Amino acid sequence: MRDLNNLLENNKAWAERIKAQQPEFFQELSKQQSPHFLWIGCSDSRVPANEIINLMPGELFVHRNVANVVVHTDLNCLSVMQYAVEVLKVKHVIVCGHYGCGGVKAALQNFKLGLIDNWLRHVQDVRQKHIAMLAAVADDSQRLDRLCELNVIEQVINVCQTTIVQNAWENGQELAVHGWIYGLDNGLLRDLNIGVNSQSELPTIYANAIAALAR
């Protein structure tokens, strides 16, 4: 209970600090949210979305799950995407993975963890799709990093292929989908060179992003 009280005290100190800096901040924030970005990231506690890109509450709409996976049958993720794209009219969807991801590592090494094995089957599909590229990487740590990168790229494609994004593009809505990866050891984000603005450019951008990793 003491630990929870500490969290409540931390919240109080945070709210007071924000109000000291911007007295009307919470009153204005409570009236509406108008973020330009949807962040689809990993649940890992070391990757706090707002903090690592230095955005305040209200500036980033967020969905997180283990290994930042986008599955066409995941109504949770799809509902977040639909609300962000159709209601909030975000301009950018960012899929962000991170190096050293435990979920990706479990998928790569066939760890048996229980129920989550079913979820990580999606990452194993990515591994299987790119088995030749991964086999060419001799170092275990570098192989894990490569699968983390490939997983982000494949999830970007999954985002682009949802009816939500397809409909937005068909209706002329301004929307771009990006793939980034975060370094736990240095706190820096890396653009994986997969930024998609339309269906027509998707095949070329995907092929170029994969080829860049293979070099």
Side-chain angles (χ1 to χ4, degrees), residues 122-165:
H122 301 294
V123 184
Q124 289 183 321
D125 290 343
V126 175
R127 180 197 67 185
Q128 195 62 33
K129 183 176 182 178
H130 299 283
I131 192 71
M133 183 190 297
L134 293 168
V137 181
D139 181 78
D140 290 344
S141 178
Q142 292 179 1
R143 191 181 305 113
L144 172 58
D145 286 349
R146 181 58 46 83
L147 184 53
C148 290
E149 294 165 346
L150 289 167
N151 185 51
V152 169
I153 291 173
E154 293 296 338
Q155 304 315 318
V156 167
I157 300 307
N158 288 346
V159 170
C160 292
Q161 291 177 337
T162 62
T163 56
I164 298 158
V165 172

Side-chain angles (χ1 to χ4, degrees), residues 53-81:
I53 51 177
N54 196 29
L55 290 182
M56 293 291 289
E59 296 182 311
L60 188 69
F61 204 61
V62 177
H63 174 79
R64 295 170 71 179
N65 62 54
V66 175
N68 44 271
V69 172
V70 177
V71 184
H72 292 250
T73 54
D74 181 2
L75 296 183
N76 185 351
C77 182
L78 294 180
S79 296
V80 171
M81 286 180 55

Side-chain angles (χ1 to χ4, degrees), residues 20-176:
Q21 296 169 353
Q22 302 179 53
E24 304 300 321
F25 178 80
F26 290 110
Q27 290 184 10
E28 294 300 321
L29 185 65
S30 66
K31 296 175 184 177
Q32 65 176 353
Q33 61 171 337
S34 55
H36 294 299
F37 313 99
L38 167 61
W39 177 280
I40 300 176
C42 183
S43 299
D44 194 299
S45 61
R46 299 167 294 177
V47 193
N50 282 71
E51 291 185 35
I52 64 177
I53 51 177
N54 196 29
L55 290 182
M56 293 291 289
E59 296 182 311
L60 188 69
F61 204 61
V62 177
H63 174 79
R64 295 170 71 179
N65 62 54
V66 175
N68 44 271
V69 172
V70 177
V71 184
H72 292 250
T73 54
D74 181 2
L75 296 183
N76 185 351
C77 182
L78 294 180
S79 296
V80 171
M81 286 180 55
Q82 182 175 26
Y83 188 80
V85 172
E86 297 183 6
V87 179
L88 298 177
K89 302 295 184 182
V90 298
K91 298 289 195 298
H92 302 274
V93 178
I94 301 165
V95 178
C96 186
H98 65 96
Y99 291 116
C101 179
V104 174
K105 184 176 182 180
L108 177 64
Q109 300 183 357
N110 286 312
F111 290 161
K112 300 303 179 186
L113 301 174
L115 179 63
I116 196 174
D117 298 342
N118 299 281
W119 179 255
L120 295 177
R121 179 68 249 176
H122 301 294
V123 184
Q124 289 183 321
D125 290 343
V126 175
R127 180 197 67 185
Q128 195 62 33
K129 183 176 182 178
H130 299 283
I131 192 71
M133 183 190 297
L134 293 168
V137 181
D139 181 78
D140 290 344
S141 178
Q142 292 179 1
R143 191 181 305 113
L144 172 58
D145 286 349
R146 181 58 46 83
L147 184 53
C148 290
E149 294 165 346
L150 289 167
N151 185 51
V152 169
I153 291 173
E154 293 296 338
Q155 304 315 318
V156 167
I157 300 307
N158 288 346
V159 170
C160 292
Q161 291 177 337
T162 62
T163 56
I164 298 158
V165 172
Q166 293 283 313
N167 290 340
W169 283 338
E170 288 176 9
N171 293 331
Q173 185 172 337
E174 181 184 350
L175 182 66

Side-chain angles (χ1 to χ4, degrees), residues 72 153-162 165-166 169 177-178 193-210:
H72 292 250
I153 291 173
E154 293 296 338
Q155 304 315 318
V156 167
I157 300 307
N158 288 346
V159 170
C160 292
Q161 291 177 337
T162 62
V165 172
Q166 293 283 313
W169 283 338
V177 186
H178 313 267
N193 298 312
I194 183 159
V196 188
N197 295 278
S198 68
Q199 174 63 27
S200 62
E201 65 184 28
L202 181 57
T204 299
I205 290 176
Y206 172 73
N208 290 342
I210 295 296

